[in-house]
Amino acid sequence: MTLSRGARITGAALAALLALMVAAWIARDLGDTGSAAALWRSWTGGAPGFVAVAQPATTIVEPALLLVYAAVAVAALRSPVAAAALVAAGVLTLGLRLPALWVLTASYMDLQATDAVRTRALYSAFAALALGTGLLVTAAAGRRPAGERQFTRQAPGAEALTPTRPGRGAAVTAFLLLGTSAAVVVAWQARWAWLLGADVWLDLLTGGDRAPVRLLEVPSAWLALTVAALALVAAGCGLARAVLTRPLGAAVAVLLAADGAVGVAHAVRQELWRYLGELPLERHLVTATALFELVGGAVLLAVLLRPGEPVPGGDGAPGGTAPSGYGYPPARAPGYGYPPARPSYGYPPARPAPGYGYPPPDPSSGFGPPPSPPPPASPPPGW
């Protein structure tokens, strides 16, 4: 399936609005911190190095989402996987913005922002959820069969309407890296739940009082499990080489690379390589996990952003039926209301059987046995 022109424009507009909202919050924090370096230190857990009017509202998730939304807005207009890209962005938005509905009403938020800022953040959360739902509705309502063309095959833009799937190598790479990343993330969450206790881990999941978060921050356990769930879905799609593999896998790869960048930046800032022999094993594993997420996310982006292959059996793909363009009659299968297909090369043309509206076959044509003589006439009655 592909998207109609109106659905593409609508999806691009919705993704652009989401990108503008995230960019506005990043600009707000950038103006508050005074420099991009200070804001980066805030995102990666370093010493602020600035005097802020209020605590920054954004985390590393916001620039990752900004990159995803900008890419989806562009892909919605011309990409062959526009519908899948809208679905990926919509699901990601709903998964990451849903906790804001109860986090922003937590008691500890009184110490982080004024009522005006909290109200604005709550309106942004509602708007993001509405726009994310709009992306899913647009992807579902704007679908049409891939064989329906608005252009001829020779016209520019015709091939952009043909859905594509990842190649075999890209699909295998996505399945392995995404599946491994999901398993690693879930294993660490199980470790934190056992180490901190179920009550504290539940606050990490919901953003409770024992695990406070920033104004727009997604609770850490909720973020981890959401990324793991989407990674598992993308890995399953990669195993089936589905169209959804590339956009959903790329979106998850951006989040994985962002989380890995935070861990690697923290390790570099703390100069952990100087104390490798003194660090416990768990600290080594945490740093190795961050490095794996950073490198694995970059590899996934490099693999999944390459052009895909046409879907077999789809329009314009091997095994499919070529679309009819301007000046060519549509191909029709023989059936009720249509004449039978013409014989192929190397076979005599089929002659209609004698009947109503057709003359009898010519005996001199040479095809078939000679006609039998007519039977003798019946004697008249009374003989």
Side-chain angles (χ1 to χ4, degrees), residues 20-381:
L20 287 176
M21 281 201 312
V22 175
W25 281 104
I26 294 177
R28 179 254 185 191
D29 284 352
L30 185 61
D32 192 20
T33 57
S35 67
L39 185 57
W40 172 254
R41 287 195 298 271
S42 171
W43 287 343
T44 55
F50 60 87
V51 178
V53 177
Q55 185 177 7
T58 59
T59 63
I60 194 64
V61 174
E62 272 64 46
L65 287 178
L66 178 61
L67 182 60
V68 171
Y69 293 147
V72 171
V74 175
L77 295 176
R78 302 286 293 179
S79 174
V81 293
L86 296 183
V87 170
V91 172
L92 191 64
T93 302
L94 296 181
L96 297 185
R97 292 311 184 196
L98 188 61
L101 298 183
W102 60 82
V103 167
L104 291 174
T105 59
S107 58
Y108 59 80
M109 280 294 172
D110 295 334
L111 304 176
Q112 297 190 14
T114 62
D115 291 340
V117 176
R118 291 175 61 182
T119 302
R120 187 170 59 183
L122 191 59
Y123 286 160
S124 296
F126 279 117
L129 292 173
L131 292 174
T133 304
L135 289 174
L136 297 178
V137 173
T138 301
R143 294 185 306 169
R144 59 187 179 86
E148 294 185 8
R149 296 281 198 216
Q150 295 177 348
F151 311 98
T152 63
R153 182 169 294 276
Q154 292 79 17
E159 292 301 326
L161 300 180
T162 305
T164 57
R165 65 177 187 174
R168 188 176 302 276
V172 172
T173 303
F175 170 73
L176 293 177
L177 288 179
L178 289 170
T180 303
S181 299
V184 170
V185 170
V186 172
W188 275 116
Q189 290 304 308
R191 167 64 177 169
W192 302 139
W194 179 81
L195 187 64
L196 301 175
D199 295 338
V200 176
W201 186 83
L202 286 178
D203 282 350
L204 291 174
L205 180 67
T206 60
D209 294 339
R210 283 171 290 188
V213 297
R214 295 185 184 182
L215 196 63
L216 299 181
E217 185 177 0
V218 184
S220 60
W222 183 284
L223 175 62
L225 294 182
T226 301
V227 171
L230 295 179
L232 283 177
V233 173
C237 292
L239 188 62
R241 298 183 64 189
V243 177
L244 185 61
T245 305
R246 293 171 59 216
L248 182 58
V252 173
V254 172
L255 292 174
L256 288 173
D259 186 65
V262 171
V264 171
H266 179 74
V268 172
R269 187 182 299 112
Q270 299 295 324
E271 298 182 351
L272 295 183
W273 65 85
R274 295 173 178 260
Y275 315 100
L276 291 179
E278 304 174 8
L279 294 176
L281 176 61
E282 186 171 85
R283 185 59 186 171
H284 284 281
L285 293 178
V286 169
T287 305
T289 300
L291 185 61
F292 168 75
E293 288 181 341
L294 178 60
V295 175
V299 171
L300 281 171
L301 287 175
V303 169
L304 295 177
L305 293 182
R306 298 177 59 188
E309 300 177 354
V311 178
D315 190 77
T321 304
S324 56
Y326 177 76
Y328 296 92
R332 297 175 177 175
Y336 179 77
Y338 297 99
R342 298 179 60 185
S344 57
Y345 177 78
Y347 294 91
R351 295 189 303 165
Y356 178 77
Y358 297 96
D362 185 6
S364 61
S365 60
F367 290 99
S372 56
S378 350

